[in-house]
Amino acid sequence: MKLLMFLLATILGTLGWYAGEALGGIGSALVLSTLGSILGVYLAWRLERHFD
């Protein structure tokens, strides 16, 4: 589960960073990267609960 959380948080955080950077700069990149990482952890947690 920890590996899945790490992978999803990294992937969604990176996608959020690039999307935010394209939208308006480092501030929006930081916000979207943080939200992407939180979403990745949440999705991994839900997947683990679903398949447990």
Side-chain angles (χ1 to χ4, degrees):
M1 180 167 133
K2 290 180 184 179
L3 180 61
L4 183 60
M5 278 187 182
F6 174 74
L7 288 174
L8 285 178
T10 301
I11 291 168
L12 293 179
T14 302
L15 291 175
W17 181 270
Y18 286 121
E21 196 174 41
L23 288 175
I26 195 164
S28 58
L30 181 62
V31 170
L32 288 180
S33 174
T34 303
L35 291 175
S37 295
I38 291 170
L39 180 63
V41 170
Y42 176 74
L43 287 176
W45 176 70
R46 292 290 294 178
L47 282 171
E48 179 66 27
R49 282 189 54 193
H50 179 72
F51 290 115
D52 189 26

